[in-house]
Amino acid sequence: MTFSITAHDPQSKARTGTLTTDHGPIQTPIFMPVGTAGTVKAVHQRELETDVNAEIILGNTYHLYLRPGLDVLNGAGGLHGFNGWQRPILTDSGGYQVYSLSNTRKIKEEGVTFKSHIDGSSHRFTPEGVMDIQRTIGADIIMAFDECTPYPCEYGYARQSMEMTHRWLDRCIARFDGTDGYYGYRQTLFPIVQGSTYPDLRRQSAEVIASKEREGNAIGGLAVGEPAEEMYAMIELVNEILPADKPRYLMGVGTPANILEAIARGVDMFDCVMPTRNARHGLLFTTAGIINIKNEKWSRDYSPIDAELGGYASTFYSKSYLRHLFKADELLGGQIASLQNLTFYLWLVRQARTHIAAGDFISWKNEMVVRLMQRL
């Protein structure tokens, strides 16, 4: 994997770049649709390519390990062969999912023992095992195994967890560097900065992660309930330490405003379930603001869902029709809304790239944060 910076915004830390993998290039800043179990919910691969124009999608180690299982994935030639997506893929190590299973998992130095949410069977993740699993899944970018702490988090626990994450990282690196992929293309490993919202811990973690000199770095453990201003402060602190010539991935973030503010602070990569999850509940992100399509006010609005955004779903269907689909509990409603929201998120980062290159990103960002987060 290579990364080259192509433009800097003169008034902020925002930058554009090109991240190149064996499955193709990725223009940054970029948003990555989440395909947890090998599918971006309710969206065909063709639609991801031609309508949404996603340049990279995510899979999840925990979910794919449990179902369909490694034998099935290996037999298909990895996740690319299994789901037919031939652009880059990133896999989350499953650390966040293990964190979410607080009632059914035990964390020790050796690794994590947990029970499957599917059938209650017992399983164990170790740093080495998670590297092997992600080798089998075959993502272009794989994540180190870490512990994601909750918010709020007691200082002592946050420190102990961070230090264990660093020890796990050394084991991940040793296993990754000592093994080869299975499918004839290169993979790369991103470490993850932790430390909750404690500045000294975040600083220490960023220094450790930077010292590993990997091809990219991630910021984890944010967007777990802390105020947005605390998240932004941690991003600023960490990005002063992480190498500027390598991509920075802010995990699990977030709203359109979160993404624009993080871009201004030097973040290059984002993912979040929000576009598709909110879509399935009728909440639309549009170029004019946020719409709850279930509201009565849209029942006779025959205008396109989002004419300014463009794209098939956003311009072919009316707000009135989409509202009808949701009120009638038709599956097509969630599909159309998912296409709208994902198309919007990819439009947003493309617009950010355009304004960074033009040198007017900050003034555009300040206007858009207000506009895009208003309820219509």
Side-chain angles (χ1 to χ4, degrees):
M1 192 196 78
T2 61
F3 181 64
S4 59
I5 296 173
T6 53
H8 285 93
D9 177 59
Q11 296 180 302
S12 72
K13 301 292 185 180
R15 72 265 188 92
T16 64
T18 302
L19 194 159
T20 304
T21 75
D22 284 357
H23 279 100
I26 303 160
Q27 303 303 315
T28 63
I30 191 64
F31 179 82
M32 304 179 284
V34 177
T36 300
T39 170
V40 177
K41 290 187 187 300
V43 180
H44 292 288
Q45 315 296 27
R46 179 187 57 78
E47 293 169 328
L48 282 174
E49 291 185 10
T50 61
D51 298 337
V52 176
N53 195 23
E55 299 181 37
I56 176 174
I57 63 173
L58 267 68
N60 180 262
T61 294
Y62 167 85
H63 288 279
L64 292 169
Y65 161 80
L66 290 176
R67 188 168 53 193
L70 300 184
D71 288 346
V72 171
L73 289 168
N74 184 253
L79 185 56
H80 288 93
F82 189 56
N83 70 2
W85 177 259
Q86 293 307 310
R87 295 180 182 180
I89 295 175
L90 181 149
T91 41
D92 184 349
S93 70
Y96 181 81
Q97 282 66 38
V98 169
Y99 147 76
S100 301
L101 299 169
S102 57
N103 295 324
T104 60
R105 50 93 167 138
K106 294 182 180 179
I107 301 174
K108 295 183 178 180
E109 186 70 30
E110 295 78 12
V112 180
T113 302
F114 61 91
K115 290 185 178 181
S116 164
H117 72 286
I118 299 169
D119 60 11
S121 57
S122 293
H123 301 268
R124 191 183 196 193
F125 274 2
T126 65
E128 295 82 3
V130 166
M131 295 298 97
D132 295 344
I133 294 169
Q134 290 184 88
R135 284 290 199 192
T136 303
I137 295 171
D140 300 86
I141 301 171
I142 75 176
M143 304 307 299
F145 191 49
D146 65 330
E147 183 188 4
C148 177
T149 53
Y151 179 88
C153 182
E154 190 269 332
Y155 180 89
Y157 186 87
R159 179 179 57 79
Q160 292 173 14
S161 173
M162 177 199 71
E163 291 171 348
M164 184 175 67
T165 288
H166 294 164
R167 294 191 296 271
W168 282 359
L169 173 59
D170 288 336
R171 292 165 59 186
C172 287
I173 290 172
R175 186 63 153 229
F176 180 82
D177 289 350
T179 57
D180 295 318
Y182 299 127
Y183 311 116
Y185 53 85
R186 290 167 291 184
Q187 297 173 287
T188 192
L189 171 66
F190 280 23
I192 303 172
V193 176
Q194 288 290 350
S196 188
T197 53
Y198 298 103
D200 61 322
L201 298 183
R202 283 285 172 180
R203 184 175 296 106
Q204 180 183 343
S205 188
E207 290 170 350
V208 168
I209 268 57
S211 74
K212 304 303 178 182
E213 298 183 344
R214 307 309 294 190
E215 293 167 309
N217 299 294
I219 307 168
L222 295 175
V224 292
E226 78 282 356
E229 291 308 316
E230 288 193 36
M231 176 174 68
Y232 299 150
M234 294 302 102
I235 293 169
E236 289 181 14
L237 186 157
V238 166
N239 281 350
E240 288 295 326
I241 299 167
L242 292 179
D245 61 345
K246 297 178 180 180
R248 302 164 177 151
Y249 163 31
L250 180 60
M251 304 178 74
V253 176
T255 67
N258 291 158
I259 289 174
L260 293 179
E261 294 294 354
I263 289 173
R265 290 161 172 81
V267 174
D268 307 293
M269 303 168 69
F270 303 87
D271 80 285
C272 191
V273 298
M274 186 174 289
T276 48
R277 178 176 290 171
N278 284 10
R280 295 193 299 276
H281 295 285
L283 199 68
L284 308 182
F285 294 102
T286 79
T287 55
I290 299 171
I291 290 175
N292 183 343
I293 200 65
K294 296 180 181 180
N295 287 347
E296 173 66 26
K297 66 185 295 184
W298 309 113
S299 64
R300 295 181 181 273
D301 188 327
Y302 304 112
S303 65
I305 296 167
D306 193 350
E308 183 180 339
L309 182 64
Y312 173 73
S314 307
T315 58
F316 183 83
Y317 299 105
S318 72
K319 298 182 184 74
S320 175
Y321 179 64
L322 183 56
R323 179 181 184 274
H324 158 71
L325 294 178
F326 271 96
K327 299 304 282 188
D329 202 25
E330 288 287 343
L331 293 175
L332 182 58
Q335 292 179 278
I336 294 171
S338 295
L339 279 171
Q340 163 65 32
N341 285 356
L342 289 172
T343 302
F344 167 83
Y345 267 64
L346 270 296
W347 169 86
L348 182 66
V349 292
R350 283 196 299 273
Q351 288 291 305
R353 295 198 296 265
T354 298
H355 287 279
I356 292 168
D360 64 351
F361 172 76
I362 284 296
S363 59
W364 172 81
K365 183 266 295 182
N366 290 341
E367 175 186 341
M368 294 302 284
V369 164
V370 175
R371 174 179 165 185
L372 299 179
M373 298 308 292
Q374 66 180 338
R375 295 289 183 125
L376 300 178

